Amino acid sequence: MLVDRLLLGPGPSNPYPEATEALARPLLGHLDPEFLRILDETNDRLRTVWGTSNARTLPLSGTGSIGMEAAFANMVRPGDVVVVAVNGLFGERMVDVAGRYGADVVRVDHDWGQPIDAERVLAAHPAPALVAAVHAETSTGVRSDIAALAAAVHAREPDTLVLADCVTSIAGIPVEIDEWGVDLAYAGTQKCIGVAPGLAPFTMSERAWQRRVERPPTWYLDLGLIGNYVAGGAGGARVYHHTAPTAMIASLHAGLGRVLEEGLPAVYDRHAVAGARLADGLRDLGLELFAAAGHRLPELTTVRVPDGVDSAKVRTRLLEEYGIEIGAGVGQYAGSVWRIGLMGHNARLDRADLVVAALAAVLGRA
Ligand code: PLP
């Protein structure tokens, strides 16, 4: 999002070049014992970052969306009731994907810019098979309370599974899969982990595993088959499924290693401090923040485009004159909201100050 052009640069703009450097190492074969060691360690690192002991934790081969698709493909039987909390684009996408796998989808719409309301989600259906929500809505910059949602769901109906989209939350704000009682979650690599897009970290509880569809209508995303490769099938032997993207997994391994070396509390703090600085700077410029107060993501700040300002022109100037990429709004907010990410190595005070200064200059508010 912000300064994406520099995201992969190992130069002075990026103090965390490990993930990029890993891409340049000699390629390992997907059955090479050294690669398998890296894969196992990547899964361990994912478990740590996600706060889970789930044995079934692995990077799926594909971008974040494939995590979403795998979750619904492996859990939904035609006619299953799936309640989806929708408060932005990615909740909308969950509705679409769940429906394609035959779910009887009950959507609970919220105003964009607001967090999800666990009580309303709960009231939507007495005993759904699955309740799904986005932890960090990238389309609006809103954080929802997944812990509260999962606690409410499990307290009422222990058989209902909870699915969380953690694409923009992983390694940016705290995620505690086991403590919160989340049964399934997926993420992306390109946000706060700071690795190129291309993998979808995925985790599922034993409970979810027991309830999965035995033969889902997709071969590639059949977690039963993939699991035999990653963790070993009957007898522990790994069974070939598809050729793992070894360079990407080596890069994720390095990116997660960097995050764990810095330490999760320090990483979360860095995102929080940079996000707060950006929000303050934007307010000082007289701009109005979009996401509901108290529920704003530090790693993705949304702000209203001032009246009379051409959103696209400002974004183009930021990119061309300052090398800064900020996102346009989504859907009905396409021309009226900007989305500014300070993720991964960009979650730094100097980055926050740079965006504010550049925006001030471009808007003529310096
Ligand atoms: N979910 C959320 C919250 C996202 O922000 C994104 C992408 O930005 C996705 C899902 C889809 O991920 P991808 O674009 O990597 O497929």
Side-chain angles (χ1 to χ4, degrees):
M1 202 111 335
L2 167 65
V3 208
D4 258 353
R5 285 183 158 184
L6 304 180
L7 181 65
L8 300 178
S13 66
N14 181 359
Y16 309 122
E18 297 85 347
T20 315
E21 288 169 358
L23 289 172
R25 284 194 214 122
L27 279 179
L28 291 169
H30 71 113
L31 295 175
D32 186 308
E34 174 58 8
F35 168 68
L36 295 173
R37 186 194 68 75
I38 290 173
L39 175 61
D40 287 345
E41 204 168 80
T42 301
N43 297 339
D44 284 342
R45 290 177 181 186
L46 281 174
R47 275 186 274 273
T48 305
V49 170
W50 247 337
T52 183
S53 59
N54 285 342
R56 294 178 179 86
T57 302
L58 70 163
L60 297 179
S61 304
T63 63
S65 304
I66 223 163
M68 187 189 290
E69 186 111 19
F72 289 115
N74 283 271
M75 300 313 299
V76 170
R77 293 170 178 80
D80 276 357
V81 174
V82 173
V83 172
V84 182
V86 179
N87 65 339
L89 175 74
F90 294 101
E92 298 268 5
R93 189 177 294 183
M94 280 181 158
V95 169
D96 187 359
V97 176
R100 288 174 191 234
Y101 285 96
D104 176 3
V105 180
V106 178
R107 57 182 289 165
V108 183
D109 280 289
H110 299 68
D111 287 342
W112 286 32
Q114 295 296 322
I116 62 166
D117 176 343
E119 291 308 315
R120 285 190 52 222
V121 176
L122 214 62
H125 193 276
L130 188 67
V131 169
V134 178
H135 185 207
E137 228 329 322
T138 326
S139 61
T140 60
V142 165
R143 175 205 312 236
S144 286
D145 189 345
I146 299 297
L149 176 68
V153 168
H154 294 320
R156 190 193 58 186
E157 178 49 71
D159 278 348
T160 301
L161 298 176
V162 173
L163 165 66
D165 175 319
C166 298
V167 169
T168 294
S169 55
I170 192 170
I173 53 175
V175 184
E176 294 291 347
I177 296 293
D178 290 358
E179 193 184 312
W180 295 354
V182 171
D183 297 285
L184 296 129
Y186 57 87
T189 47
Q190 72 270 30
K191 308 284 191 203
C192 300
I193 307 177
V195 172
L199 292 172
F202 191 90
T203 191
M204 75 194 293
S205 65
E206 184 59 30
R207 221 160 75 93
W209 175 254
Q210 296 303 337
R211 300 251 303 268
R212 78 188 191 283
V213 178
E214 267 303 327
R215 207 177 147 78
T218 161
W219 179 89
Y220 193 71
L221 293 179
D222 181 339
L223 291 169
L225 299 178
I226 299 172
N228 288 341
Y229 169 67
V230 173
R238 295 189 201 252
V239 182
Y240 163 76
H241 177 258
H242 68 277
T243 306
T246 56
M248 279 305 306
I249 289 171
S251 182
L252 175 59
H253 176 262
L256 291 169
R258 199 276 306 157
V259 165
L260 293 175
E261 193 178 295
E262 184 178 354
L264 284 171
V267 168
Y268 297 147
D269 191 55
R270 187 162 51 74
H271 281 84
V273 168
R277 174 85 142 235
L278 174 62
D280 285 349
L282 294 171
R283 267 189 297 248
D284 288 348
L285 288 183
L287 299 175
E288 188 192 340
L289 299 179
F290 175 71
H295 307 279
R296 291 176 183 145
L297 293 170
E299 66 272 42
L300 185 83
T301 300
T302 46
V303 61
R304 291 186 189 274
V305 178
D307 285 345
V309 169
D310 183 327
S311 163
K313 268 193 190 148
V314 170
R315 293 177 54 236
T316 301
R317 280 194 61 195
L318 286 174
L319 191 59
E320 289 178 354
E321 295 172 28
Y322 297 89
I324 294 174
E325 188 202 340
I326 67 169
V330 172
Q332 61 172 310
Y333 298 104
S336 60
V337 166
W338 288 315
R339 298 178 305 134
I340 308 177
L342 287 179
M343 301 176 186
H345 73 270
N346 282 320
R348 284 153 40 203
L349 291 180
D350 61 330
R351 292 319 221 193
D353 291 346
L354 177 68
V355 189
V356 173
L359 255 179
V362 171
L363 292 174
R365 296 185 182 198

